[in-house]
Amino acid sequence: MLEIESIDVAYGRAQVLFGLSMTVPPGSLTCVMGRNGVGKTTLLKAIMGVLPVRKGRITFDGHDVTRLKTYDRVRLGLGYAPQGHETFPQLTVWENLRVVLEASPKATKSSLDEALDVFPALRPFLRSKAGFLSGGQQQQLSMARTLITRPSMLLLDEPTEGIQPSVILEIEDSIERLHKETGVAVLLVEQYLDLALRLADNFVIIDAGEVVRAGDRTDLQDPAVRQLLTV
Ligand SMILES: Nc1ncnc2c1ncn2[C@@H]1O[C@H](COP(=O)(O)OP(=O)(O)O)[C@@H](O)[C@H]1O
Ligand SMILES: [Mg+2]
């Protein structure tokens, strides 16, 4: 469904991804892991067209999207919840959702309701300003917003980063639910091996801008994998 072929990505003269290749099968939950600074966020930005690809190719659903604008990739079915759950803090939860609804040709009022069905914990806060929500609630809002465009693949960048342990389980739950109930494929950047072990069908581990290991859930048990993730 998503195929990344040997991409190079750089910030000016600082190259971050070096011939990185990976695939995400349709409907799967694929986990991208690796230590801080190895290029996970850079990879997601390249997939969304937020950063240009210098070499290589990205194919999504049979379309070569390598040079497409971000909004055209969204139209084809890619959804993206960036690292750090950026919401509009001055707007209410409801308004945060409405903004996406107004901006998306494909979205309807029912896509907003469906998004809230996946994240029912948001319902009591619809009239609260997003800035007053807890980190976990803001993360859920950020994920709910992406669902409004009805993506067929969702890119989630460290949704559990900086979130307290009790809420991490809630977020893990919602990711599992949205994956199972909507059938959306998920590309999840996640540092917690335990969470990956519970959710992932497949995984890749990135080190220094390259994929150094890829496999399915059972391969995650390999001690060598833990080795690649510890600092
Ligand atoms: N805007 C930027 N300009 C220059 N270098 C950057 C920028 N953003 C990230 N980097 C560098 O790119 C590398 C990969 O970053 P990133 O993709 O954010 O890593 P990860 O998400 O795996 O922690 C890091 O060395 C980081 O310092
Ligand atoms: Mg990152």
Side-chain angles (χ1 to χ4, degrees):
M1 180 176 202
L2 179 71
E3 183 162 17
I4 295 161
E5 291 167 272
S6 199
I7 59 167
D8 284 2
V9 180
Y11 298 95
R13 281 160 62 186
Q15 188 169 342
V16 173
L17 301 184
F18 297 86
L20 186 146
S21 299
M22 66 172 288
T23 57
V24 180
S28 76
L29 196 152
T30 299
C31 223
V32 174
M33 291 185 287
R35 302 178 181 107
N36 273 328
V38 296
K40 304 180 297 295
T41 296
T42 303
L43 169 64
L44 295 202
K45 286 183 175 169
I47 295 170
M48 290 311 296
V50 176
L51 278 173
V53 164
R54 296 220 169 146
K55 249 171 54 191
R57 183 164 59 173
I58 302 175
T59 315
F60 176 65
D61 244 356
H63 303 270
D64 183 342
V65 301
T66 318
R67 308 274 168 243
L68 288 190
K69 300 275 188 215
T70 300
Y71 56 78
D72 285 325
R73 302 186 201 208
V74 172
R75 199 167 297 156
L76 284 173
L78 282 166
Y80 175 42
Q83 190 166 10
H85 53 75
E86 295 155 29
T87 57
F88 301 113
Q90 302 297 334
L91 300 185
T92 66
V93 168
W94 177 251
E95 288 162 346
N96 264 275
L97 296 168
R98 283 292 303 204
V99 167
V100 183
L101 187 63
E102 302 295 344
S104 325
K106 262 198 291 181
T108 62
K109 173 81 171 44
S110 71
S111 43
L112 203 153
D113 285 330
E114 284 162 27
L116 285 169
D117 288 344
V118 180
F119 298 97
L122 291 174
R123 285 199 190 270
F125 300 100
L126 287 175
R127 296 189 192 291
S128 312
K129 288 206 165 144
F132 291 120
L133 298 179
S134 70
Q137 290 161 341
Q138 291 196 33
Q139 184 59 54
Q140 297 193 44
L141 174 56
S142 168
M143 292 194 282
R145 275 197 317 197
T146 65
L147 288 181
I148 292 173
T149 60
R150 296 184 187 274
S152 53
M153 180 177 294
L154 202 48
L155 314 184
L156 304 175
D157 198 348
E158 299 212 37
T160 61
E161 188 192 25
I163 306 270
Q164 64 187 65
S166 60
V167 185
I168 288 183
L169 284 177
E170 206 174 298
I171 289 177
E172 179 181 324
D173 230 44
S174 358
I175 295 171
E176 186 167 31
R177 209 146 20 84
L178 84 86
H179 175 54
K180 296 243 160 77
E181 283 174 19
T182 68
V184 68
V186 178
L187 183 56
L188 170 68
V189 173
E190 181 54 63
Q191 303 231 27
Y192 289 114
L193 185 55
D194 286 346
L195 193 146
L197 274 168
R198 287 193 292 261
L199 289 184
D201 301 313
N202 311 291
F203 72 94
V204 301
I205 297 176
I206 299 178
D207 198 17
E210 291 177 285
V211 171
V212 291
R213 182 89 196 239
D216 64 21
R217 187 201 308 241
T218 52
D219 301 324
L220 273 175
Q221 313 271 5
D222 186 338
V225 163
R226 203 169 285 266
Q227 197 63 39
L228 284 165
L229 298 174
T230 45
V231 187

